[in-house]
Amino acid sequence: MADTTQVQPGGAGRALKQALKTPWAVIVAILLAVAVLDPANLRDTVVFAGRALAHTGQYILFAVLLLAYLKATGAEVMVARAFEGREVRMIFLAALFGGLAPFCSCEVIPFIAGLLALGAPLSAVMAFWLSSPLIDPPTLLITAAALGWPFAVGKAVAAVALGLFGGFAVKALMRGGAFASPLRQAPSGGCCGCGGPKLDEKPVWRFWGEAARRVRFREEFVSNGLFLLKWLALAYVLEALLVHYVPADLIAQVVGGDGIGAIGIAALVGMPAYLNSYVAPPLLAGLMESGMSAGAAMAFMIAGAVSSIPAMAAVWSLVKPRVFAVYLGLGVLGAVIAGVLFQLAA
């Protein structure tokens, strides 16, 4: 009898293309390239990346546990409640909670849209939007592992300061009549299946008493653990290549100075070159070892986080072009200022 099994046309091809786009495929491709072009350096590359990943492992475990706990308890409600009350208070709380919110990039879209639809002022929303991409618990720990606690704390302080700077700048502009109608059109939902803020709910800190929350904890732990593992493995392989193949004097010439010029260049380069918050710290560690100044590294990281593809897509999808332009302008200016101040304090 003839085989009548139906095969979806192009299904295998699409699956292969998706597999080739994963960080694991990129890692394999890089190591194969090293094995072919410079076999003597293959072992050093693997050992360098493996040791760095093992060193960061303790931070990864704690970060994943913390993120899973925040998701299982429903801690997002606390962030939503920061947008209640007087405008100045909202700006301060939004900037602070932006660095603590356990949101993925797509979850921010319906959350922010819901807040604006509920009447939250754009100033407070801007404060949250500028600080949120810069830092969260996992990013803080990974940055500390790669660059040290002074840099990680400096980045956290810069995140809150940038949120405050952006929030009060927008508040001043709104006083003159700007941004009366900031939204393009509020989306109905997010790609994570989440909706807008729910102010009437309460976090359940002892989540293990509910079966659904235990399942959520387990799912978040596994998914975030695998996510961090694959991106950090790629980051450390790239750092190994950077250390072995990019001349230190070249990096020092471009972004190695202590002046504002090098910091400004780092901020401008960081915008299009940024990968994500988990890849950047190990790469910057390699750049700093090769001569990149601390201020330039801080400016690179902050500008890149604000202008990352998910962050910009979230802003562009919700607000009008003028608001989008202000978001980017405040982000880059804030990155340069943070870089200069961190350079002076370092």
Side-chain angles (χ1 to χ4, degrees):
M1 179 181 291
D3 186 3
T4 59
T5 302
Q6 295 291 325
V7 178
Q8 290 290 338
R14 284 194 298 271
L16 179 60
K17 288 181 181 179
Q18 290 297 325
L20 292 176
K21 292 179 181 179
T22 64
W24 299 120
V26 177
I27 292 171
V28 172
I30 290 173
L31 294 179
L32 286 175
V34 173
V36 172
L37 301 174
D38 188 13
N41 192 42
L42 177 61
R43 182 179 180 277
D44 290 341
T45 301
V46 173
V47 169
F48 181 97
R51 286 178 176 173
L53 188 60
H55 170 71
T56 314
Q58 55 187 330
Y59 295 90
I60 297 175
L61 178 60
F62 183 78
V64 171
L65 287 170
L66 178 59
L67 193 58
Y69 176 76
L70 292 174
K71 286 287 189 177
T73 58
E76 300 98 317
V77 178
M78 296 181 63
V79 180
R81 289 177 182 164
F83 292 85
E84 296 180 304
R86 303 180 65 176
E87 185 176 3
V88 171
R89 174 182 175 275
M90 281 190 274
I91 293 173
F92 274 98
L93 290 179
L96 177 62
F97 278 109
L100 302 175
F103 294 127
C104 69
S105 300
C106 58
E107 283 178 323
V108 172
I109 299 174
F111 186 86
I112 292 296
L115 288 171
L116 289 173
L118 289 172
L122 180 63
S123 56
V125 172
M126 184 65 73
F128 179 84
W129 227 331
L130 285 169
S131 62
S132 183
L134 289 175
I135 200 74
D136 55 40
T139 304
L140 177 68
L141 294 172
I142 291 168
T143 303
L147 299 169
W149 277 106
F151 195 100
V153 172
K155 184 185 176 186
V157 172
V160 176
L162 180 57
L164 293 174
F165 171 62
F168 283 107
V170 170
K171 184 177 185 295
L173 291 172
M174 291 179 67
R175 192 176 299 166
F179 313 131
S181 178
L183 277 177
R184 290 176 183 264
Q185 182 178 358
S188 59
C191 55
C192 291
C194 56
K198 299 175 182 177
L199 302 179
D200 57 339
E201 294 184 359
K202 294 182 179 180
V204 180
W205 302 116
R206 298 184 179 183
F207 72 89
W208 49 86
E210 300 181 17
R213 293 182 182 274
R214 291 197 301 270
V215 172
R216 180 75 184 278
F217 178 86
R218 182 171 63 252
E219 291 176 347
E220 292 291 339
F221 178 81
V222 173
S223 63
N224 287 307
L226 292 175
F227 178 84
L228 290 177
L229 181 63
K230 67 184 180 183
W231 280 110
L232 285 173
L234 174 60
Y236 287 126
V237 170
L238 293 175
E239 183 186 0
L241 298 182
L242 183 69
V243 171
H244 287 124
Y245 295 114
V246 179
D249 56 350
L250 176 63
I251 297 173
Q253 288 175 11
V254 178
V255 288
D258 296 333
I260 191 172
I263 294 173
I265 292 172
L268 293 176
V269 171
M271 290 185 67
Y274 191 79
L275 296 173
N276 70 34
S277 298
Y278 309 113
V279 176
L283 290 181
L284 283 175
L287 289 170
M288 291 179 71
E289 289 178 5
S290 300
M292 188 180 202
S293 67
M298 182 64 73
F300 180 96
M301 183 174 286
I302 291 176
V306 170
S307 64
S308 66
I309 297 301
M312 286 198 295
V315 179
W316 182 259
S317 67
L318 284 182
V319 298
K320 295 178 178 178
R322 284 182 298 172
V323 180
F324 179 78
V326 169
Y327 170 84
L328 286 184
L330 290 171
V332 175
L333 179 59
V336 173
I337 294 174
V340 171
L341 294 177
F342 189 74
Q343 183 67 41
L344 293 174

